[in-house]
Amino acid sequence: MNTHFPCKRISEDGYELWLRYVPVAQPALAEYRAALTHIVIDGVSATLQAARDELVFALPCLLGASVPLADTAGRGALVAGTPHRSPLIAALDLEADLAGVGDEGYVITAVPGAEPNRIVIAANTDIGVLYGVFHFLRHLQTHQPLRGLRVVSAPKIRLRMLNHWDNLDGTVERGYAGFSLWDWHKLPDYLDPRYTDYARANASIGINAVSLTNVNANALVLTRPYLVKAAALADVFRPYGIRVFLTARFSAPIEIGGLDTADPLDPAVIAWWRAKADEIYAHIPDFGGFLVKANSEGQPGPHDYGRSHSDGANLLADALAPHGGVVIWRAFVYDENVAEDRARQAYSDLAPQDGRFRPNALLQVKNGPIDFQPREPYHPLFGAMPRTPLMLEVQITQEYLGHATHLVYLAPLFAETLDADTGCAGPGSLVAHVVDGSLDGHALSGMAGVSNIGSDRNWCGHPFAAANWYAFGRLAWDHRLSTEQIADEWLRVTFGNDERFVEPAKAMMILSREAVVNYMTPLGLHHIMARNHHYGPGPWVAGGRRDWTSVYYHQAGPDGIGFDRTASGSNAIGQYCSPFRELVADLDTCPEEYLLWFHRVAWDHTMKSGRTLWDELCLRYQHGVEMVREMQRTWDALSGYVDAARFEHVRTLLAIQEKEARWWRDACLLYFQTFSGRPLPKGVEPPEESLEYYLNLTHYYVPGIPERRFG
Ligand code: GCV
């Protein structure tokens, strides 16, 4: 296997991610050694070879004993395969289970009667076998018993996709873990072994699609030299069940095609995209399709020709359809020249187009209506377009959540959206059921995460940021998994199984999302970060494009603060279904975490705590800082359970996080105090610097922004 993962490690550097195969402790070890003496996998394919390689590599590391491949299954055999290729599996009575797991699921079972129990990993397809192998290895990594083992698992969502915002020059938009993994310059000839390890990591959590390039797209990626490079990556990923997508720049027919228009209804444009799709499929036979950002933040699109988003999407969908490809059209559309509240714009434009998209088109909707803030209410498009498959887009990279220096476990954020009840088709119309297609009967379904992966040795920058990649994959596979369970798993496979470590570390992870909300944007505040690079606070940002300023969103004044989205304001609330609409419309019932998102509120408004809004706001900021200090105390107490390198790395990053939490608190409170005119309440630490100081802080070369920049 083309892996760089060592069995015996000199020091921990995070490279292995959650595929860290360290010796299992007793008593699990004794059971595993007796039950797993050899591996039998019948059949020949690149995917089955990947499954074999993984087991042959992992089991000796885990068990400290050789576990060879064998042709026949004796006592202690681990048998993996499909009934079509494996007579051993065909002979077992697994038809009923396999009938329910589709073409990616698997069954793992201890076969009764064999002593010690024989373990079987069965699936209908080779990729199902590989997924089952990874699940089984996780079972061993987490020291769970084999006796009585029985797992039947299938993904709820069809496209489980990473969106890389990687540029062809090697930079990554909103990337905080170094440069792009894709070495375009050396591709297709040099295949970095990391590509294989990346594919392994993705397959191990069920991710089956990746778009390689930034949605702020460069048309060059659709030219022959880059298609050859993309094809080389697709070849590496294919055995791991991963299909490659590319971002399509809508104006590509002009930029690389020599046409003088990109009008989606122009016959020459239609012919150009058809020929382009044919060319791509000649290079990448299982090409997934296009991901498109159009008419948003300066990107070209169908509006440039007076056409609709569905016209644009259908143009590409038709080009891809003969090859079985799909177009993923982003719903992140808003226009500075439209006076309407930005939170309303995507819905206003797209909801009326429900039913107009081709069957092989998906609309990719961000979790909230603005832009990946620490907390947003769910996007009102979920529930408003039952005739269109809606993909959920979340941001794994921490553009607005402290980049790669803040420990923020994002599963609670993802789950908050998935679990939200839109009410649009009656009670229980969860976003999760819109997204998995079950609510509206769509076979096509998807969930995308904007990648936080880069060239850093540990992949994601912060040792805990890998938990967010992991959690994304696990939730896309099964959105019913609890955030606690995912954190539990990730901690065990990443650090170890000692309960004295796992329990407090898990509590720290769960706490972390609420901490960042408190020290950055409590009570429904949003989009108050520094301009452009989005590093640190910037509630004073004003001037220039209105919908990229902070003052547009918080609207603070002497009388109060918050965005009035009720019927007397922008009426963004009117885009939601009952009962959420009424719940948030009423100041008395609106959950306080969304208060300033939906309402403009007087500084002396009485909160549920009995305090004034001003005092509550101050104390929330203070509490955010204290929560980070609690995370620091928790981590410090865990030094005995973590290797020195990773312990120290996390400890240092938590110190930065605490410092930056204070920065957020002090800068925001000093600024908002200029409107509230009230003193900081008891319990809030006095600011360390003057407002003037924070206003004048300038940061150069913050990672994550290409030279050409906006908002
Ligand atoms: C890729 C936000 C980010 C942009 C990003 C955009 C998007 O505006 O700041 O960097 O562009 O979202 O999701 O398209």
Side-chain angles (χ1 to χ4, degrees):
M1 180 170 42
N2 203 5
T3 178
H4 272 183
F5 290 19
C7 196
K8 297 224 180 316
R9 44 199 64 71
I10 301 157
S11 75
E12 300 274 5
D13 59 15
Y15 183 80
E16 295 162 285
L17 293 163
W18 46 88
L19 301 177
R20 184 170 161 274
Y21 302 128
V22 297
V24 171
Q26 298 291 13
L29 182 62
E31 190 197 10
Y32 294 174
R33 279 196 176 158
L36 302 166
T37 60
H38 56 290
I39 306 159
V40 182
I41 302 186
D42 290 330
V44 180
S45 77
T47 300
L48 288 178
Q49 191 54 41
R52 262 186 217 108
D53 288 347
E54 198 67 34
L55 287 170
V56 165
F57 168 64
L59 288 178
C61 294
L62 289 164
L63 273 55
S66 121
V67 187
L69 287 167
D71 292 333
T72 50
R75 283 166 62 85
L78 171 65
V79 181
T82 64
H84 326 292
R85 296 188 198 263
S86 164
L88 284 168
I89 294 203
L92 296 169
D93 183 20
L94 294 172
E95 284 85 4
D97 285 337
L98 286 175
V101 300
D103 56 6
E104 291 184 294
Y106 50 83
V107 177
I108 309 175
T109 181
V111 181
E115 253 327 310
N117 283 352
R118 174 182 293 171
I119 304 294
V120 170
I121 303 172
N124 296 312
T125 60
D126 294 350
I127 190 62
V129 175
L130 182 64
Y131 288 152
V133 162
F134 278 118
H135 185 126
F136 181 66
L137 288 172
R138 185 163 62 233
H139 191 84
L140 304 185
Q141 286 174 285
T142 51
H143 299 187
Q144 296 176 66
L146 297 181
R147 195 159 290 277
L149 171 62
R150 193 176 151 72
V151 176
V152 180
S153 183
K156 302 211 178 319
I157 291 177
R158 193 158 139 198
L159 271 177
R160 305 172 299 278
M161 182 174 194
L162 284 182
N163 288 180
H164 289 265
W165 286 356
D166 293 17
N167 299 311
L168 298 182
D169 66 2
T171 58
V172 180
E173 180 147 349
R174 310 309 180 184
Y176 312 104
F179 288 88
S180 173
L181 274 189
W182 324 132
D183 188 344
W184 294 106
H185 184 63
K186 298 199 193 79
L187 282 165
D189 301 312
Y190 175 63
L191 296 173
D192 190 329
R194 263 191 109 143
Y195 302 152
T196 306
D197 287 334
Y198 164 85
R200 291 173 56 229
N202 277 334
S204 73
I205 49 174
I207 288 172
N208 65 358
V210 299
S211 70
L212 299 174
T213 42
N214 194 348
V215 288
N216 290 331
N218 185 336
L220 279 180
V221 79
L222 303 178
T223 59
R224 188 171 189 282
Y226 281 96
L227 293 179
V228 171
K229 293 168 192 283
L233 287 174
D235 290 345
V236 176
F237 300 161
R238 189 168 297 113
Y240 294 90
I242 297 166
R243 292 174 80 181
V244 158
F245 286 66
L246 293 174
T247 47
R249 187 162 163 88
F250 201 75
S251 51
I254 302 172
E255 289 163 16
I256 58 168
L259 302 187
D260 56 11
T261 179
D263 182 344
L265 302 192
D266 184 292
V269 172
I270 295 170
W272 188 86
W273 280 109
R274 287 203 180 212
K276 184 50 73 183
D278 294 347
E279 183 191 352
I280 296 173
Y281 279 93
H283 290 284
I284 310 172
D286 57 350
F287 179 59
F290 295 128
L291 169 65
V292 188
K293 172 177 177 178
N295 290 122
S296 172
E297 301 185 330
Q299 295 301 303
H303 285 182
D304 304 349
Y305 306 93
R307 313 295 185 196
S308 67
H309 280 289
S310 51
D311 290 334
N314 293 344
L315 164 76
L316 301 181
D318 288 345
L320 295 162
H323 306 280
V326 300
V327 65
I328 300 171
W329 196 263
R330 292 178 87 230
F332 181 66
V333 292
Y334 65 103
D335 184 346
E336 63 177 312
N337 300 313
V338 172
E340 191 180 20
D341 173 7
R342 175 172 159 189
R344 288 180 48 100
Q345 289 188 29
Y347 182 112
S348 298
D349 189 333
L350 292 163
Q353 295 180 58
D354 190 25
R356 296 205 198 135
F357 291 86
R358 296 282 191 269
N360 62 328
L362 293 122
L363 198 61
Q364 182 166 295
V365 184
K366 287 189 181 182
N367 58 291
I370 296 290
D371 193 11
F372 299 139
Q373 295 299 294
R375 169 165 279 129
E376 298 195 25
Y378 63 90
H379 203 300
L381 275 175
F382 294 112
M385 299 187 69
R387 289 185 290 162
T388 310
L390 300 186
M391 242 171 116
L392 169 63
E393 176 177 338
V394 296
Q395 194 177 43
I396 310 172
T397 192
Q398 291 172 229
E399 175 180 356
Y400 299 104
L401 292 100
H403 297 182
T405 37
H406 293 207
L407 191 168
V408 186
Y409 174 51
L410 295 176
L413 188 162
F414 304 159
E416 197 167 278
T417 302
L418 287 162
D419 295 344
D421 191 351
T422 68
C424 296
S429 312
L430 305 190
V431 171
H433 298 152
V434 175
V435 171
D436 70 16
S438 61
L439 192 71
D440 305 307
H442 295 298
L444 209 50
S445 61
M447 180 162 160
V450 179
S451 155
N452 62 349
I453 302 160
S455 57
D456 277 11
R457 177 75 187 158
N458 72 1
W459 303 86
C460 303
H462 196 302
F464 274 75
N468 296 329
W469 175 8
Y470 183 87
F472 167 77
R474 298 288 287 130
L475 280 171
W477 182 275
D478 185 356
H479 51 67
R480 284 181 320 194
L481 291 173
S482 77
T483 56
E484 287 82 4
Q485 181 185 333
I486 296 169
D488 191 280
E489 271 176 17
W490 180 80
L491 284 164
R492 288 172 192 276
V493 295
T494 304
F495 288 105
N497 283 284
D498 195 315
E499 301 299 335
R500 292 165 298 179
F501 167 77
V502 172
E503 288 309 316
K506 192 171 28 176
M508 175 182 77
M509 287 172 76
I510 301 293
L511 181 79
S512 62
R513 190 289 181 105
E514 220 49 53
V516 76
V517 169
N518 280 329
Y519 66 73
M520 285 188 182
T521 53
L523 299 176
L525 285 173
H526 51 287
H527 206 292
I528 55 169
M529 67 290 161
R531 201 198 283 274
N532 201 357
H533 49 60
H534 302 170
Y535 170 58
W540 45 79
V541 170
R545 218 184 131 154
R546 174 184 73 107
D547 52 3
W548 285 349
T549 66
S550 302
V551 295
Y552 169 77
Y553 294 97
H554 64 65
Q555 311 219 345
D559 54 332
I561 183 171
F563 200 123
D564 183 1
R565 295 196 164 107
T566 66
S568 51
S570 78
N571 200 24
I573 285 178
Q575 295 179 335
Y576 288 96
C577 298
S578 295
F580 186 76
R581 183 171 52 209
E582 291 75 20
L583 178 85
V584 295
D586 185 339
L587 190 57
D588 292 334
T589 56
C590 181
E592 287 187 346
E593 67 256 34
Y594 298 132
L595 188 68
L596 304 180
W597 186 284
F598 288 120
H599 295 273
R600 185 168 167 71
V601 184
W603 291 113
D604 57 5
H605 169 79
T606 306
M607 302 291 288
K608 294 202 173 80
S609 61
R611 300 185 194 104
T612 63
L613 168 65
W614 168 248
D615 285 359
E616 184 74 26
L617 187 71
C618 296
L619 287 162
R620 293 277 178 132
Y621 271 108
Q622 175 66 29
H623 187 46
V625 174
E626 281 160 11
M627 289 169 94
V628 179
R629 291 177 184 154
E630 190 180 333
M631 289 161 63
Q632 287 183 291
R633 282 192 296 276
T634 302
W635 188 251
D636 286 347
L638 296 176
S639 64
Y641 305 104
V642 184
D643 55 282
R646 288 188 298 174
F647 176 79
E648 195 53 24
H649 193 182
V650 173
R651 194 189 66 74
T652 315
L653 293 176
L654 280 170
I656 297 176
Q657 186 170 358
E658 195 269 346
K659 184 173 69 177
E660 295 187 353
R662 283 187 276 122
W663 173 26
W664 270 91
R665 177 198 63 194
D666 294 349
C668 291
L669 291 183
L670 283 170
Y671 171 76
F672 290 134
Q673 196 175 31
T674 63
F675 301 101
S676 80
R678 288 157 165 78
L680 298 182
K682 196 163 162 286
V684 177
E685 292 162 11
E688 290 160 35
E689 305 285 351
S690 67
L691 177 58
E692 213 47 31
Y693 168 87
Y694 295 114
L695 277 166
N696 287 317
L697 283 178
T698 309
H699 296 93
Y700 299 99
Y701 306 117
V702 177
I705 39 168
E707 296 282 311
R708 161 199 63 78
R709 267 284 9 119
F710 44 77

